[in-house]
């Protein structure tokens, strides 16, 4: 499979990037801000960073860890396992100093880790949207509950389809069901095109609904630390 996204991020890290990374929907193309999204230093002492850091402890699994922005800081405090499906991103994380970067699928947690392996989980980058549906999101949360301890915590993020600015997202698709939406997009870099990604968009209330019966409950929702717009973070804890 192609990996335009991972290759672009790795090339940027190595100083070898030859083109812009674009995220696309049909004929529409927008430049993806690699430096700002993946290489800006995470500060756990900032207001936004402390909201996140105060809700996590080790051992931590960082799902969809990108270039290791969070893993690099959290591994200074406790054991951190960074997981990415992209081999190029795993290479990037290792080159940047992430101590335990692994190639893996966040939607196959039971196949990768033992029960109660982690005390916390982090999935920042709206990857939970790749669960695609309410059922898929519930299944992911159930699998995440399996690999985390009975008193575990987690932080995830998503775009709120009920927000007025969500329609401005590239690839946005409406859904007739309140609290649900969709986003369809692909990445292009230096003549290479990745497969089309189909994200589900879930409002905080829909996230709460999906968590029922999984062992998780949504404890807090943060919008201030994500800036103005439809993006939000949610802190989860075991019931």
């Amino acid at each position: 499979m192609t990996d335009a996204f991972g290759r672009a991020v790795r090339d940027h890290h190595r100083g070898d990037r030859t083109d812009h990374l674009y995220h696309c929907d049909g004929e529409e193309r927008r430049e993806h801000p690699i430096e700002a999204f993946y290489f800006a230093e995470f500060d756990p002492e900032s207001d936004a960073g402390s909201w996140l850091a105060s809700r996590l402890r080790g051992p931590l699994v960082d799902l969809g860890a990108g270039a290791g922005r969070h893993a690099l800081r959290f591994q200074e405090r406790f054991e951190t396992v960074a997981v990415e499906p992209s081999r190029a991103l795993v290479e990037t994380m290792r080159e940047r100093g992430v101590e335990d970067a692994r190639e893996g699928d966040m939607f196959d947690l039971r196949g990768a880790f033992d029960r109660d392996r982690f005390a916390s989980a982090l999935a920042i980058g709206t990857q939970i949207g790749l669960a695609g549906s309410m059922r898929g999101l519930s299944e992911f949360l159930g699998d995440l509950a399996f690999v985390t301890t009975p008193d575990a915590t987690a932080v995830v993020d998503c775009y709120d389809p009920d927000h007025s600015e969500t329609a401005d997202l590239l690839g946005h698709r409406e859904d007739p069901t309140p609290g649900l939406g969709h986003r369809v997009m692909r990445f292009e870099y230096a003549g290479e095109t990745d497969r089309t990604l189909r994200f589900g968009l879930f409002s905080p209330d829909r996230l709460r609904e999906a968590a029922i019966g999984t062992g998780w409950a949504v404890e807090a929702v943060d919008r201030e630390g994500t800036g103005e717009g439809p993006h939000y973070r949610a802190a989860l804890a075991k019931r």
Side-chain angles (χ1 to χ4, degrees):
M1 294 179 63
T2 60
D3 187 11
F5 174 75
R7 189 161 63 90
V9 175
R10 183 185 61 190
D11 287 356
H12 182 90
H13 160 66
R14 293 177 175 176
D16 297 333
R17 185 157 62 88
T18 58
D19 198 354
H20 297 299
L21 173 67
Y22 294 99
H23 52 156
C24 312
D25 175 34
E27 297 300 315
E28 185 176 3
R29 303 167 83 230
R30 299 182 189 176
E31 184 179 347
H32 194 65
I34 294 177
E35 180 67 29
F37 274 29
Y38 305 104
F39 293 97
E41 185 177 357
F42 170 66
D43 180 5
E45 305 303 325
S46 67
D47 289 343
S50 62
W51 188 95
L52 182 68
S54 67
R55 287 165 169 82
L56 301 175
R57 60 185 185 276
L60 167 71
V61 61
D62 185 355
L63 301 169
R69 179 172 175 261
H70 294 101
L72 284 167
R73 296 305 303 269
F74 285 123
Q75 71 181 13
E76 298 172 354
R77 302 183 174 195
F78 39 67
E79 180 191 0
T80 300
V81 177
V83 178
E84 259 294 341
S86 164
R87 183 172 300 176
L89 290 180
V90 172
E91 291 175 359
T92 301
M93 286 193 285
R94 289 173 177 168
E95 290 174 9
R96 297 187 72 212
V98 175
E99 296 168 358
D100 192 344
R102 307 184 188 186
E103 190 174 346
D105 182 355
M106 66 181 282
F107 297 103
D108 185 29
L109 293 174
R110 291 176 187 257
F113 301 108
D114 294 333
R115 179 186 289 274
D116 299 339
R117 172 65 176 84
F118 300 101
S120 292
L122 178 64
I124 292 293
T126 71
Q127 297 97 326
I128 64 168
L130 291 172
S133 65
M134 288 288 288
R135 179 177 178 178
L137 181 57
S138 293
E139 290 176 350
F140 165 71
L141 292 174
D143 290 345
L144 187 64
F146 179 86
V147 301
T148 51
T149 57
D151 60 346
T153 58
V155 176
V156 302
D157 70 339
C158 195
Y159 289 111
D160 183 353
D162 291 338
H163 193 282
S164 61
E165 295 180 19
T166 302
D168 296 332
L169 293 172
L170 182 139
H172 174 255
R173 306 286 192 273
E174 292 186 357
D175 190 290
T177 306
L180 295 181
H182 307 276
R183 191 182 188 197
V184 180
M185 57 178 287
R186 67 185 185 278
F187 286 103
E188 294 182 1
Y189 170 67
E192 187 174 61
T193 302
D194 286 343
R195 66 180 178 88
T196 298
L197 299 174
R198 302 179 184 276
F199 292 84
L201 307 182
F202 308 100
S203 70
D205 283 344
R206 288 296 182 180
L207 177 60
R208 292 185 181 95
E209 182 182 341
I212 294 172
T214 68
W216 294 102
V218 176
E219 283 204 327
V221 172
D222 173 56
R223 295 181 185 270
E224 293 183 5
T226 62
E228 296 182 2
H231 183 223
Y232 72 90
R233 302 182 294 184
L236 290 76
K238 290 287 187 72
R239 288 182 175 272

